[in-house]
Amino acid sequence: MPDSVPDINNGDSATWRVLDRYRELELQLAILGHHLSAQVGLRPVDLQCFNLVHRHGPVTIGDLSRMLALRPATTTGIVDRLAEQGWVTRERSDADRRTVYVRALPDHLPRLFGLLSPLGEDLSTAFTGLDEDALRIIADFLDHAATATRRANERPA
């Protein structure tokens, strides 16, 4: 453990400002996930799991466990809850009947997207006046931030 903790709440460089804004975004996204999951009747981790299945699916429980950084038994419980509520389904692989894939079902997507549409509109407004080069820079940074965060999530505790 380091002898001193850096003061991450104060800085004046452009790099510090970007990292500070990333940190604030991460906090706001976590809070949004809690609000959104409550609105659709899920636990936050269940909504995260559904989002991963919707984005990367169909996926196995093992894949989901790695993405969520949870034990397979815990992930199985989450998938059980999602399946009971009609968010996902399980399908056996045709190639290997021992392999089961989790696939997102579309039934809840209209409500979920409806809840997120004001956010999408606000973000679209923020892009007004930005040229393609600026949008590419933002997208590249977000790609790097997602990759770095994914790596941080994969590191052993």
Side-chain angles (χ1 to χ4, degrees):
M1 181 168 259
D3 292 335
S4 66
V5 176
D7 182 6
I8 61 171
N9 292 320
N10 294 299
D12 58 7
S13 72
T15 300
W16 176 86
R17 285 193 302 276
V18 170
L19 293 173
D20 181 65
R21 293 341 179 260
Y22 168 78
R23 192 169 139 232
E24 179 63 19
L25 176 61
E26 184 266 336
L27 291 168
Q28 293 305 318
L29 287 170
I31 294 166
L32 175 66
H34 284 277
H35 288 298
L36 193 59
S37 62
Q39 289 177 300
V40 297
L42 295 176
R43 297 175 186 183
V45 71
D46 294 4
L47 183 58
Q48 290 170 348
C49 183
F50 173 77
N51 284 334
L52 287 168
V53 173
H54 184 255
R55 182 168 179 86
H56 300 287
V59 294
T60 66
I61 294 288
D63 294 334
L64 277 174
S65 294
R66 283 185 288 283
M67 288 187 265
L68 289 165
L70 296 172
R71 292 190 170 125
T74 303
T75 304
T76 298
I78 294 168
V79 170
D80 288 346
R81 288 192 299 270
L82 289 171
E84 286 171 15
Q85 296 179 38
W87 288 82
V88 300
T89 188
R90 290 179 171 95
E91 299 172 347
R92 290 210 178 274
S93 167
D94 290 335
D96 181 352
R97 301 295 293 160
R98 295 171 296 177
T99 302
V100 176
Y101 289 99
V102 181
R103 184 175 58 81
L105 294 172
D107 301 2
H108 295 280
L109 290 175
R111 180 163 181 235
L112 198 53
F113 288 154
L115 292 168
L116 288 169
S117 74
L119 173 61
E121 291 167 11
D122 282 351
L123 290 172
S124 293
T125 299
F127 297 142
T128 302
L130 297 178
D131 64 18
E132 288 296 313
D133 288 337
L135 292 171
R136 245 187 310 280
I137 290 168
I138 293 168
D140 287 347
F141 169 75
L142 291 172
D143 284 342
H144 288 288
T147 299
T149 305
R150 192 175 301 109
R151 276 196 301 261
N153 286 331
E154 292 169 354
R155 288 187 192 107

